Structures are given as C-alpha cells and as structure tokens.
C-alpha cells in the first residue's frame, strides 16, 4: 500500500513538473474565450465525466461549451490546445481565407496515428496533396453531370426500387438494402464494374465495413490524450480491431486483383474508363519515367478503403435520414411527392440536371442534411500560428469544425430543432442555398465526392417517391428525430419502415 501511494505521489509530482515547465515556455497568446479550466487538466476531466459518467456524447458537451462561449471557443485537454468552431462564417474565414494553416489533421487523434500517410481522409503532406489532386481530377473527368455516370447510378437505384417492391409493403429495416445499393455505386464509380444484387462477396465487404464503423469509436475522450488511447485499445481488444482492419484490406486487395484481371480480358472501351484504371496507369507511367510519386498499390488499397468508408457511410446515413423524415412528416412527404409527380410522372427517369424544377425537393434534402448533420464534426490542426479577429490560434492547435453545433445554432437558424424545408426557399418559392450549411465540410478538406453524393441523394429521393409512400409502423411513430446516435456519422434512431406502392 505504501509503495502504491509513493508511486502515485511521484506520478502526480511528475505531471505537475511537466505542466509547469510547459506553461513556462509558452508564448503569451491572446486566446479565444472558453469555459473555466482546471489548472493542470484544463477541460479534460469535465469532458471525461460528461462522457463516461453521464453517458453524453463528447459532441454534445463540446456544443454546450461553444454555445455558452460564442462562435469560437478555446479549450485545453491537459497540454493540448483545442478550438471549437460553431459558426459557419468563422469556419469560412479560417479554412478558406487561411487555408494553408487549416488543412492538416491533428496528429494525436487515434485514427491519425493509425492511418498516418495512408489513403486520403487522415493523410497529410505531399502524399495527401498528390492523391487529393488525383481525386479532384477524376471526379471532374467522370463528373456527375455526365450522362454515362448518372446512368450507372440510376441503374443501381432501379435495382434498389425493385428490392423494395419485393417487400410487398411489409415492415422491415431499410438499412441493409440502402447499404447494398450505395456500396455498389461506390464500386461502380471506382471501377466501372458493379456487383449483382445480393453478391455474397459484397455482403461480406458490407458486414466488415459496418463492424469497422462500430469498433472505431471516433468521438470518445480517448482521442485527446495518449494514455487514454492506449487504455481504449486495450479495453476494446486491439488485436480484434486490427484483425477487422486486416480483413477489410484483404477484401479490397481481392477487388483490385479482380479488376486488374478483368481489365486485361476486357475489350469494351467504355468499361475500361475508370478511376482505378487511371490510378494504375498514372502509377506505371511514373515508374517507367523514374519520376518520384506517392502512388503505389498499397496507397491504392487504402484509397479504395477510404472511398468506401467516407463516401459510403455518409451517403447511407443521409438516405436513412431522408426516409425517416419522409415517414415522420407525412405533410412534407405529400408535398415533395406531388412536386416529383408533376415534374417526372410515375415512370419517366429523373435526371439530376432537372433539380431546378423541383425546388421543394431540393429544400427537403438540404433540411435533412442540416437536421441529420450526418458528419457531426471534423478535426483540423493548425500548421502555423493563425489569427481570428483579436484572437490568436497557436500552431498545433486542434480545431474542431463542429457541424452539429453549426446546424443547431439558434443565431443562424430560427427554430433550429424543428424540421422546416421552407427555410431553404425564397419568397418566390425557389430553392435558395444557405451558406450556414456546410454539409460537405469546407476549405481544402472539403469532400471531393460532393457531386456524387448530391446526385445519389436526389435520384434516390425522387425514385422512391415516384413509386412509393414511406410510412412508419404504428408502434414506432413516436420516434424523436432529435435523438440520433453520435459516432463516425450522426445516425438516426433505430427504426423500421414500410413502402406502400402508389
């Protein structure tokens, strides 16, 4: 017992000493306002208490601090400086006007440690820039105003509608069918090929991806302090988590191998055009010319993985929110359905370029993006000292773009927790984009697949309402739309639906 007390006392003394010398060497910055801080731990202990004892999501506590303080809120988690942004206009001024300083990921976050120099989402530096440029070019090349790509998406949407027809109006969980459709679209975009509905390999990939998303708890306080990260990994069985990740990479390696084999045998020029083929050609050209490049088969593996996770999960979650909101607000559904029927009828194929003819449908989708908030927040790291008005944001500060807080900011959104698509319509009833909605992030880290996501959401919404009325079973009609689940995405409460043919 005496030894334990001695060790504990020495540990506390060491922490205090480290903290003292760290504070002594700090510059006198004009830091933004924030809640009261503990001398040693800053705001970390309050966050841990809120999360582990009260059971709240860290995003809720971070939003409370932001609303109490203002659009830019300063926190400290032991030695780590943190700034929370809860106003889209502030995010614009920092991430666009000072883009060079706000484009990195925090190196201390759990996934930043695991995925350093891999893929695109948590990558940084020259490798990220090269892959970001590649993706931006590819999304433009196979842009989503182009008929061929939209036709591929529409083909999958039609398959999805066929699967709904098979339910015969019975109550069911819509999630599996949505996931199958969206991940098939992702594969179509990457490879030009697609899976047959119910393909057992695709189902294995989907199951693995969803297990990954459940296992990696991005939003816990373990992200902010190394010792808590270690504890988290031990608590959740690090070997099990790593096994899940390795299996995901095995699956994607098999997909890439299948694609390369298919390309050698294919004579169809249209099928040969794809994002993956362009990557392989670019990689080989650099190798032949002896040029330095960050392109490699390993990076391609992680890039495909990122596209599936980042591009797939966010779209799946948004479509789940769309369907739930249609069912929860029948008067809204009736108005959207009436507009869709007037413009497209019941049988004609909709086109994304015709969205200007359906302003209320566009307003509805944007209100879902605001209310659901899909990605509750995204982290940046300051690579240099930065300023905002009279405040300093020191180098290596973690900056949380708190999209959930932005979307619930009463100063920007009247009746923020009420579902009101009309807020996106002007006096003439036309759709009006609102700059306070940052559904696809902002700055250099803005989602490169934004066009793909918007096309998918529109074609799914219109396609479903051409054929079906969406309803909740009688025993689930009291679902609280404000009671979503925070994680990698902000997912809707568990629900089942029925699709009634019209």
């Amino acid at each position: 017992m005496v030894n334990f007390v001695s060790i504990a006392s020495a540990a506390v003394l060491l922490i205090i000493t480290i903290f003292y010398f760290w504070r002594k060497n700090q510059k006198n910055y004009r830091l933004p306002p924030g809640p009261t801080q503990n001398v040693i731990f800053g705001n970390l202990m309050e966050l841990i208490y809120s999360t582990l004892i009260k059971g709240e999501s860290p995003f809720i506590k971070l939003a409370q601090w932001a609303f109490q303080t203002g659009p830019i809120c300063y926190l400290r988690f032991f030695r780590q400086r943190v700034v929370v942004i809860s106003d889209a206009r502030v995010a614009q001024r920092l991430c666009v006007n000072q883009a060079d300083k706000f484009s990195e990921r925090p190196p201390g976050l759990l996934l930043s440690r695991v995925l350093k120099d891999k893929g695109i989402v948590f990558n940084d530096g020259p490798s990220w820039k090269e892959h970001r440029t590649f993706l931006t070019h590819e999304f433009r090349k196979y842009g989503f105003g182009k008929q061929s790509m939209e036709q591929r998406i529409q083909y999958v949407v039609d398959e999805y509608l066929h699967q709904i027809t098979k339910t015969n109006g019975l109550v069911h969980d819509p999630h599996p069918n949505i996931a199958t459709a969206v991940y098939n679209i992702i594969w179509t975009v990457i490879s030009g090929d697609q899976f047959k509905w119910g393909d057992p390999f695709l189902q294995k990939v989907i199951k693995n991806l969803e297990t990954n998303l459940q296992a990696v708890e991005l939003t816990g306080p373990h992200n902010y302090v190394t010792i808590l990260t270690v504890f988290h990994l031990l608590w959740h069985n690090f070997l099990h988590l790593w096994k899940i990740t390795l299996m995901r990479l095995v699956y994607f390696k098999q997909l890439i191998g299948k694609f390369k084999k298919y390309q050698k045998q294919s004579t169809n020029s249209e099928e040969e055009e794809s994002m993956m083929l362009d990557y392989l050609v670019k990689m080989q050209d650099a190798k032949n010319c002896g040029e330095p490049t960050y392109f490699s088969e390993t990076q391609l593996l992680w890039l495909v993985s990122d596209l599936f996770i980042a591009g797939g999960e966010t779209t799946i979650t948004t479509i789940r929110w769309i369907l739930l909101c249609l069912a929860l607000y029948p008067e809204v559904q009736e108005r959207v359905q009436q507009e869709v029927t007037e413009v497209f009828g019941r049988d004609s194929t909709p086109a994304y370029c015709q969205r200007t003819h359906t302003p209320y449908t566009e307003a509805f989708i944007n209100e879902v993006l605001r209310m659901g908030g899909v990605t509750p927040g995204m982290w940046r790291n300051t690579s240099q000292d930065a300023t905002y008005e009279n405040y300093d944001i020191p180098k290596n500060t973690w900056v949380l773009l708190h999209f959930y807080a932005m979307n619930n900011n009463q100063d920007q959104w009247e009746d923020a927790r009420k579902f009101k698509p009309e807020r996106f319509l002007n006096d003439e009833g036309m759709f009006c984009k609102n700059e306070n909605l940052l559904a696809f992030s902002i700055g250099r880290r803005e989602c490169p697949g934004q066009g793909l996501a918007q096309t998918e959401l529109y074609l799914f919404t219109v396609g479903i309402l051409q054929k079906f009325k969406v309803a909740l079973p009688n025993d689930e009609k009291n679902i609280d739309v404000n009671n979503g689940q925070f994680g990698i995405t902000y997912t809707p409460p568990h629900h089942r639906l029925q699709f009634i043919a019209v």
Side-chain angles (χ1 to χ4, degrees), residues 19 32-51 58 61-62 65-66 68-69 73-84 221 224-225 228:
F19 179 78
T36 304
Q37 298 180 357
N38 176 281
V39 175
I40 296 176
F41 296 103
N43 307 100
L44 181 62
M45 300 310 294
E46 190 175 349
L47 180 68
I48 291 175
Y49 173 79
S50 173
T51 304
K61 187 61 183 177
L62 291 165
W65 277 326
Q68 290 168 8
T69 304
C73 171
Y74 173 72
L75 307 169
R76 182 170 55 79
F77 299 147
F78 189 36
R79 293 176 56 188
Q80 181 58 56
R81 291 190 174 99
V82 175
V83 166
V84 179
Y224 313 127
V225 180
L228 291 179

Side-chain angles (χ1 to χ4, degrees), residues 106-160:
L109 283 178
L110 175 59
L111 284 192
S112 295
R113 297 172 187 270
V114 175
L115 301 178
K116 182 178 175 60
D117 299 328
K118 299 181 181 73
I120 184 74
V121 177
F122 285 92
N123 200 349
D124 270 315
S127 176
W128 170 75
K129 289 180 181 178
E130 189 170 17
H131 283 85
R132 171 76 186 198
T133 300
F134 170 78
L135 278 183
T136 302
H137 174 267
E138 291 297 300
F139 279 122
R140 285 175 183 163
K141 178 179 178 180
Y142 302 112
F144 301 98
K146 294 186 177 179
Q147 193 65 25
S148 60
M149 183 56 70
E150 193 166 318
Q151 284 174 344
R152 293 178 184 177
I153 297 171
Q154 186 62 54
Y155 181 82
V156 177
V157 172
D158 290 342
E159 282 191 305
Y160 169 75

Side-chain angles (χ1 to χ4, degrees), residues 180 194-206 258:
T180 300
Q194 62 186 35
F195 295 99
K196 292 182 179 179
W197 198 275
D199 185 295
F201 186 84
L202 177 60
Q203 298 309 310
K204 285 198 296 184
V205 171
I206 291 173
K258 176 186 174 185

Side-chain angles (χ1 to χ4, degrees), residues 275-287:
M275 186 181 295
M276 193 182 297
L277 179 63
D278 288 347
Y279 190 100
L280 292 170
V281 169
K282 198 172 182 68
M283 183 178 72
Q284 189 61 46
D285 287 347
K287 184 177 179 181

Side-chain angles (χ1 to χ4, degrees), residues 42-247:
N43 307 100
L44 181 62
M45 300 310 294
E46 190 175 349
L47 180 68
I48 291 175
Y49 173 79
S50 173
T51 304
L52 300 184
I53 306 302
K54 296 175 66 177
E56 293 179 339
S57 164
F59 277 114
I60 294 296
K61 187 61 183 177
L62 291 165
Q64 290 171 355
W65 277 326
F67 291 147
Q68 290 168 8
T69 304
I72 180 166
C73 171
Y74 173 72
L75 307 169
R76 182 170 55 79
F77 299 147
F78 189 36
R79 293 176 56 188
Q80 181 58 56
R81 291 190 174 99
V82 175
V83 166
V84 179
I85 306 299
S86 58
D87 188 304
R89 293 168 298 183
V90 177
Q92 169 85 17
R93 289 175 61 179
L94 295 180
C95 297
V96 175
N97 298 351
Q98 302 182 59
D100 288 342
K101 302 176 182 179
F102 290 89
S103 296
E104 292 183 353
R105 296 292 191 208
L109 283 178
L110 175 59
L111 284 192
S112 295
R113 297 172 187 270
V114 175
L115 301 178
K116 182 178 175 60
D117 299 328
K118 299 181 181 73
I120 184 74
V121 177
F122 285 92
N123 200 349
D124 270 315
S127 176
W128 170 75
K129 289 180 181 178
E130 189 170 17
H131 283 85
R132 171 76 186 198
T133 300
F134 170 78
L135 278 183
T136 302
H137 174 267
E138 291 297 300
F139 279 122
R140 285 175 183 163
K141 178 179 178 180
Y142 302 112
F144 301 98
K146 294 186 177 179
Q147 193 65 25
S148 60
M149 183 56 70
E150 193 166 318
Q151 284 174 344
R152 293 178 184 177
I153 297 171
Q154 186 62 54
Y155 181 82
V156 177
V157 172
D158 290 342
E159 282 191 305
Y160 169 75
L161 297 176
H162 179 64
Q163 296 302 316
I164 292 180
T165 302
K166 289 182 178 180
T167 66
N168 294 316
L170 296 177
V171 175
H172 67 283
D173 181 356
H175 191 175
N177 276 337
I178 297 170
T180 300
V182 171
Y183 284 128
N184 210 350
I185 289 174
I186 296 292
W187 182 238
T188 297
V189 169
I190 293 171
S191 71
D193 193 13
Q194 62 186 35
F195 295 99
K196 292 182 179 179
W197 198 275
D199 185 295
F201 186 84
L202 177 60
Q203 298 309 310
K204 285 198 296 184
V205 171
I206 291 173
K207 183 177 180 180
N208 177 270
L209 287 170
E210 295 190 345
T211 304
N212 267 268
L213 293 168
Q214 293 166 5
V216 181
E217 299 174 14
L218 268 180
T219 58
H222 64 270
N223 271 292
Y224 313 127
V225 180
T226 302
I227 193 169
L228 291 179
T229 300
V230 174
F231 174 77
H232 166 78
L233 292 173
L234 293 174
W235 180 264
H236 290 279
N237 191 339
F238 171 76
L239 293 177
H240 177 63
L241 296 177
W242 188 242
K243 179 182 176 182
I244 294 170
T245 302
L246 287 178
M247 283 305 301

